[in-house]
Amino acid sequence: MAKLIVKQLTIIAENEKKAKRFLFGPGKNLITSDFNTVGKSTLVKMLLWSFGCKPSLDSDWTKLGLKTAVEFSVGKTEYILLRQDNQMSIKRGKSSWVTFPKITGDYSKLLGDILQFSPIFKLKNSENHQVSTPDGYFMAYYLDQQCWQGAWNSLNGLEGFDKYKTNLIKAHAGLLTKEYFECQNKELAAQEEKKNEEETLEKYEDAVRLIHSDCSPSDDLFTIDASVFNSQRATLQNRLLHLQKRQSIIWNKLAKLYNDRHCLAIQIPVIESNIKELEKDYKFSLTLDHVVSCPICNSQIPNDVINRASILSDKDTYEEQLSEVKSRLGELDKEIIDLQPEYDSITTEIDEITNNYISEDKEGNRLTVMEFLSTVGEKTIIDKLSINRNLQEQKVLLISTQIKELNKEMKQISKSINKDAINTFFMKMLKEVDEVLGLDYGFVSEKVQSPVDYKKVYQGGAADITRSVLSYYSALYLLIRSQHNEVVGPFIIDTPQQQGQSDDNEINIMNLINNKLYDSHNEYQIFLCAKNEDVLDTYKLNAMVFDLQKSRGLLDASSYEECVENFNNYLSN
């Protein structure tokens, strides 16, 4: 799975004319000092701020006129990201800069696409939904000092969303997938469209009710000879009524055809996606041994010629379905093409009657037939409004059908996820981590069944609660790495020593980070903020160490001009 690796961070404080550039390693990074309150926590908070997160920064920092530049990679793709206030500018490789005036909305969606993590949450006090801000992604990887007494509180950028935590955890754990949220996004868009169309329908119905209740023929608007009126009204109203009924019948047929066509058309990308995935599965199976171990449950799965052939058989079945769907689409298109000319012809004749036949009143005022008829009655207007209302009802019905299909698809996606295997693997990781940290797994296993049960992992006093939180996040982190659903982010641990840990517990924490979380072969990036003590010696091996001095602070004036020049060079390239 691709990893997010932060390569360097530049922080500029314009109001104080101070700055600093930090170069990070792809594996272990240690931010340390012999003192507290020198900027260890602030450095990782500024790293997260540069991505668009909302960490708990000291009020002094928010007044410095901050701007940042961060270079990072996802897999083999290089990115540069600039932040000034809430303006975000991002550049991929040698492509052009893309700038966003705010963090929410389009920027959050783009970064979510890059990180393959784009859950959608409902906004507070609103029926609207929006893609998660970057906080939702990084919150699974960041344990700040607020987190030690309660999980999922390290960042503040999701405060505008309503009841987001459960679905956020499910998204990270793989209990809800990218395909599910993509389908949900389509369903929400359809709901919004339906709402707008229903408002238009309500306007038509209000107009019909108003005419029925308040309008009556006027004797004063025009003075028209009765014989002329009776002659034209009888002929034209009968013709119009016939045409309108015929138009409505054809429209109903067309609406059903379009609805059937849409239901078939949305199946094509799903079937084509299944075919592509099966092709990938077959090619991948050729690279494996004849027997494969499941990475989650460790069961032995045969991978012989017969099993590989079953993949091709499934692919053939989907290709047959695709051919049948396309064939039926062609039939529906022909029926639509056959009906459309008749509908157009009727519409044209109605327009000719309503617009081209001209009459005159006794005073010589020229008026169309529709104007003429409307002076003595409301029926023509009601008929026309009724047709428009019927057409609007068909639109609402069509969208409602789409929504039902999308809801059905979301349920199918949810059912296809192997939740038991995911939860079992999480509990296995939690047990292994608890053993390293010296925690009572038996106590936890009676209450916790999945990553969603984060409120039940706490045990013991303050020191044990701290390690319980670390255990939970570590198990979730290992689960994310095994799922291959999202880009794996850097794991950030902020000062676990300050939580009243004994010497033995501090050693256990270092053993967990060095031997369980850090992978020397795959180089998953880790940031550890900690006071400089002997227990860190094992972590320092092969780590990039940042030793912050109390006398200098996090930023300094001597680096300001160079950092500003580099920042401006980013924009000019």
Side-chain angles (χ1 to χ4, degrees), residues 117-123 128-133 136 158 161-169 171 181 184 188:
F117 187 80
S118 301
I120 299 166
F121 304 126
K122 181 179 176 294
L123 295 171
N128 295 327
H129 292 68
Q130 198 172 81
V131 68
S132 170
T133 62
L158 298 180
F161 294 104
D162 188 34
K163 299 177 182 178
Y164 62 85
K165 288 186 179 179
T166 297
N167 276 359
L168 176 62
I169 297 168
F181 286 110
Q184 182 191 29
L188 291 171

Side-chain angles (χ1 to χ4, degrees), residues 6-280:
V6 181
K7 297 188 174 183
Q8 64 174 276
L9 169 68
T10 300
I11 307 172
I12 301 172
E14 287 288 4
N15 294 345
E16 288 198 346
K17 301 296 187 254
K18 291 183 178 181
K20 191 75 172 180
R21 183 172 66 158
F22 301 89
L23 303 178
F24 302 119
K28 294 189 292 183
N29 293 271
L30 174 63
I31 303 167
T32 187
S33 176
D34 294 327
F35 310 95
N36 293 323
T37 67
V38 295
K40 298 188 297 293
S41 299
T42 303
L43 178 53
V44 294
K45 287 180 180 180
M46 286 305 302
L47 173 60
L48 294 164
W49 187 87
S50 69
F51 277 93
C53 295
K54 190 178 179 182
S56 299
L57 286 167
D58 292 339
S59 58
D60 290 342
W61 274 84
T62 61
K63 302 173 184 177
L64 297 180
L66 295 169
K67 59 184 182 181
T68 57
V70 59
E71 293 186 20
F72 67 96
S73 64
V74 173
K76 296 181 179 179
T77 306
E78 304 287 336
Y79 294 89
I80 304 172
L81 178 61
L82 308 181
R83 178 172 181 178
Q84 303 179 72
D85 193 16
N86 285 330
Q87 177 179 292
M88 309 298 297
S89 299
I90 190 167
K91 179 177 181 174
R92 173 180 177 175
K94 296 182 179 180
S95 62
S96 301
W97 285 99
V98 182
T99 297
F100 303 89
K102 61 180 182 177
I103 294 167
T104 56
D106 291 339
Y107 167 72
S108 292
K109 185 178 185 307
L110 175 62
L111 187 65
D113 291 341
I114 293 171
L115 302 176
Q116 298 179 30
F117 187 80
S118 301
I120 299 166
F121 304 126
K122 181 179 176 294
L123 295 171
K124 285 183 179 178
N125 304 317
S126 172
E127 293 303 316
N128 295 327
H129 292 68
Q130 198 172 81
V131 68
S132 170
T133 62
D135 303 75
Y137 172 79
F138 285 100
M139 203 179 286
Y141 301 97
Y142 176 42
L143 288 81
D144 79 333
Q145 296 186 40
Q146 295 182 91
C147 247
W148 294 122
Q149 299 304 314
W152 300 102
N153 292 316
S154 58
L155 295 168
N156 305 313
L158 298 180
E159 293 172 342
F161 294 104
D162 188 34
K163 299 177 182 178
Y164 62 85
K165 288 186 179 179
T166 297
N167 276 359
L168 176 62
I169 297 168
K170 287 182 177 181
H172 279 295
L175 296 169
L176 291 177
T177 62
K178 177 183 177 183
E179 290 75 20
Y180 177 90
F181 286 110
E182 287 176 347
C183 191
Q184 182 191 29
N185 194 31
K186 294 177 183 177
E187 191 267 344
L188 291 171
Q191 289 282 11
E192 183 65 22
E193 184 182 3
K194 180 184 176 185
K195 179 182 176 182
N196 294 334
E197 297 297 347
E198 284 177 335
E199 289 176 355
T200 303
L201 176 61
E202 182 65 23
K203 290 177 182 177
Y204 282 123
E205 291 176 342
D206 288 343
V208 172
R209 285 193 293 267
L210 178 65
I211 293 172
H212 274 303
S213 61
D214 295 334
C215 294
S216 60
S218 171
D219 295 326
D220 301 324
L221 185 60
F222 291 103
T223 54
I224 301 171
D225 184 84
S227 62
V228 175
F229 165 71
N230 290 331
S231 173
Q232 294 195 15
R233 182 184 66 175
T235 302
L236 296 179
Q237 283 192 332
N238 288 337
R239 180 58 180 163
L240 280 172
L241 182 61
H242 171 76
L243 290 172
Q244 288 165 351
K245 286 181 178 179
R246 182 59 185 160
Q247 185 187 48
S248 179
I249 291 171
I250 296 175
W251 170 251
N252 289 336
K253 290 181 179 179
L254 283 171
K256 184 179 184 307
L257 289 172
Y258 280 117
N259 181 44
D260 292 345
R261 191 189 188 288
H262 172 78
C263 293
L264 285 173
I266 62 176
Q267 296 179 34
I268 290 179
V270 176
I271 297 173
E272 289 177 339
S273 176
N274 290 337
I275 292 172
K276 291 179 181 178
E277 290 300 319
L278 287 169
E279 287 175 349
K280 292 178 183 177

Side-chain angles (χ1 to χ4, degrees), residues 409-458:
E409 187 178 345
M410 281 193 290
K411 290 179 180 178
Q412 290 173 346
I413 293 171
S414 181
K415 287 181 180 179
S416 69
I417 299 169
N418 192 341
K419 301 178 181 66
D420 289 339
I422 292 171
N423 291 331
T424 299
F425 185 82
F426 171 77
M427 295 303 296
K428 178 184 177 184
M429 292 299 100
L430 192 65
K431 180 180 180 181
E432 293 179 5
V433 173
D434 278 357
E435 289 173 352
V436 176
L437 293 176
L439 293 167
D440 182 3
Y441 173 75
F443 172 83
V444 174
S445 63
E446 293 179 359
K447 301 179 178 181
V448 178
Q449 301 297 324
S450 83
V452 177
D453 301 325
Y454 67 96
K455 293 182 180 179
K456 303 175 182 179
V457 300
Y458 314 126

Side-chain angles (χ1 to χ4, degrees), residues 215-375:
C215 294
S216 60
S218 171
D219 295 326
D220 301 324
L221 185 60
F222 291 103
T223 54
I224 301 171
D225 184 84
S227 62
V228 175
F229 165 71
N230 290 331
S231 173
Q232 294 195 15
R233 182 184 66 175
T235 302
L236 296 179
Q237 283 192 332
N238 288 337
R239 180 58 180 163
L240 280 172
L241 182 61
H242 171 76
L243 290 172
Q244 288 165 351
K245 286 181 178 179
R246 182 59 185 160
Q247 185 187 48
S248 179
I249 291 171
I250 296 175
W251 170 251
N252 289 336
K253 290 181 179 179
L254 283 171
K256 184 179 184 307
L257 289 172
Y258 280 117
N259 181 44
D260 292 345
R261 191 189 188 288
H262 172 78
C263 293
L264 285 173
I266 62 176
Q267 296 179 34
I268 290 179
V270 176
I271 297 173
E272 289 177 339
S273 176
N274 290 337
I275 292 172
K276 291 179 181 178
E277 290 300 319
L278 287 169
E279 287 175 349
K280 292 178 183 177
D281 289 346
Y282 180 73
K283 291 178 181 178
F284 181 63
S285 70
L286 296 176
T287 66
L288 302 176
D289 297 331
H290 291 296
V291 178
V292 181
S293 297
C294 175
I296 294 178
C297 62
N298 207 29
S299 60
Q300 302 297 303
I301 302 172
N303 184 39
D304 52 22
V305 174
I306 295 175
N307 282 276
R308 291 198 294 269
S310 68
I311 298 176
L312 294 178
S313 176
D314 291 341
K315 176 174 171 287
D316 291 339
T317 300
Y318 278 119
E319 287 176 339
E320 290 176 4
Q321 291 179 3
L322 183 62
S323 178
E324 292 173 1
V325 169
K326 289 183 175 179
S327 175
R328 179 55 184 152
L329 276 178
E331 294 173 0
L332 291 175
D333 286 340
K334 185 177 184 306
E335 292 182 51
I336 291 170
I337 291 172
D338 290 343
L339 273 177
Q340 193 67 49
E342 184 178 357
Y343 179 81
D344 293 341
S345 175
I346 292 172
T347 302
T348 299
E349 187 172 351
I350 291 174
D351 290 341
E352 288 176 352
I353 291 174
T354 56
N355 297 320
N356 295 336
Y357 285 79
I358 303 299
S359 181
E360 291 185 0
D361 65 7
K362 291 181 178 180
E363 297 176 359
N365 297 314
R366 295 174 63 81
L367 61 154
T368 66
V369 171
M370 291 303 292
E371 290 171 335
F372 168 70
L373 296 177
S374 67
T375 63

